[in-house]
Amino acid sequence: GESVGLHLPTLSVQEGDNSIINCAYSNSASDYFIWYKQESGKGPQFIIDIRSNMDKRQGQRVTVLLNKTVKHLSLQIAATQPGDSAVYFCAENSGYSTLTFGKGTMLLVSP
Amino acid sequence: ETGVTQTPRHLVMGMTNKKSLKCEQHLGHNAMYWYKQSAKKPLELMFVYNFKEQTENNSVPSRFSPECPNSSHLFLHLHTLQPEDSALYLCASSRTSGIRLSSYNEQFFGPGTRLTVL
């Protein structure tokens, strides 16, 4: 079946670096995407979303890029901080009320 | 922190036990969700309730029985579970379900219950 997946299970960066986390999706009908952050011992937390009529959306220190041609989504975190260490995963929606989630990428930020 | 609380945070049970997970949201939302998060699989939706009515059952085995007495409370009753049911069970709530998703209808997650089935 169609699914959302992540390319890298673990990403290690130095504090202050920019981080890029990637996500591939296969459902061409998906038109809404969300990035979540999940810290240890906590539930997922909404970070930023994007609709398929956009290819870029910026938040505070985060940017989501959507490439519909290759069905690719990325999350860029500027000036990564130790508090950014967490699992990040994407989710897609194709018009119904439910989301399909990716497996997640662990981001490790070293001081 | 998120306005969604779950109890207990950790639960160990045998395969013949009966236990219940509880979720409560203090956000005035009308939709509540149960998710399963396993180590080797993506987050999986189990059940959706909207205005206390179950609107989605994602082919979940009958050994998991949800209950939603009101829009603020959601339970997951467990009986005769298997070791492969060990996972983190997450509850979430949103303003409503069944409409086009957006940040307006963002789902807020609780911290989860870590379940171990022996």
Side-chain angles (χ1 to χ4, degrees):
Chain A
E2 298 184 309
S3 63
V4 175
L6 291 166
H7 294 304
L8 299 173
T10 304
L11 176 64
S12 297
V13 301
Q14 295 288 322
E15 182 177 1
D17 287 351
N18 296 331
S19 303
I20 300 177
I21 300 171
N22 297 301
C23 177
Y25 67 96
S26 56
N27 186 352
S28 57
S30 292
D31 62 358
Y32 179 65
F33 304 87
I34 303 174
W35 277 102
Y36 286 93
K37 173 186 181 182
Q38 187 172 17
E39 298 175 86
S40 180
K42 296 184 179 180
Q45 179 186 4
F46 177 103
I47 301 174
I48 192 168
D49 61 349
I50 190 169
R51 289 213 174 273
S52 59
N53 60 352
M54 302 173 70
D55 52 21
K56 179 179 180 179
R57 188 152 188 247
Q58 288 185 292
Q60 188 176 15
R61 283 201 305 119
V62 295
T63 301
V64 55
L65 298 177
L66 175 61
N67 185 330
K68 295 180 287 293
T69 302
V70 296
K71 299 189 184 69
H72 185 266
L73 194 69
S74 69
L75 176 70
Q76 299 179 358
I77 304 174
T80 314
Q81 302 167 1
D84 295 327
S85 294
V87 174
Y88 292 81
F89 51 91
C90 62
E92 63 172 320
N93 170 255
S94 59
Y96 298 97
S97 61
T98 56
L99 291 163
T100 301
F101 292 86
K103 289 184 179 180
T105 293
M106 170 74 77
L107 177 64
L108 299 175
V109 184
S110 305
Chain B
E1 294 179 16
T2 64
V4 181
T5 59
Q6 291 187 242
T7 55
R9 293 294 309 275
H10 300 272
L11 178 62
V12 179
M13 60 186 290
M15 290 191 286
T16 58
N17 292 159
K18 290 184 179 181
K19 296 288 184 182
S20 295
L21 310 184
K22 179 182 176 182
C23 176
E24 183 173 1
Q25 57 95 1
H26 310 273
L27 301 169
H29 289 166
N30 296 302
M32 296 189 78
Y33 311 75
W34 278 119
Y35 287 90
K36 177 182 179 182
Q37 190 173 39
S38 306
K40 298 182 178 180
K41 290 184 179 180
L43 199 60
E44 300 173 272
L45 178 67
M46 299 175 71
F47 302 102
V48 181
Y49 278 81
N50 201 34
F51 293 92
K52 301 189 298 177
E53 298 297 319
Q54 187 181 120
T55 58
E56 201 151 341
N57 176 336
N58 198 21
S59 302
V60 180
S62 59
R63 58 186 183 270
F64 295 92
S65 176
E67 178 189 1
C68 189
N70 55 62
S71 292
S72 298
H73 294 86
L74 185 65
F75 295 89
L76 188 62
H77 304 299
L78 316 171
H79 64 97
T80 325
L81 293 193
Q82 305 297 313
E84 58 266 28
D85 296 322
S86 298
L88 182 69
Y89 288 85
L90 290 159
C91 173
S93 72
S94 68
R95 285 188 171 90
T96 186
S97 69
I99 62 171
R100 194 174 185 210
L101 291 183
S102 69
S103 57
Y104 169 82
N105 202 31
E106 174 189 344
Q107 292 183 26
F108 290 81
F109 286 83
T113 294
R114 174 68 64 186
L115 174 67
T116 302
V117 182
L118 301 176

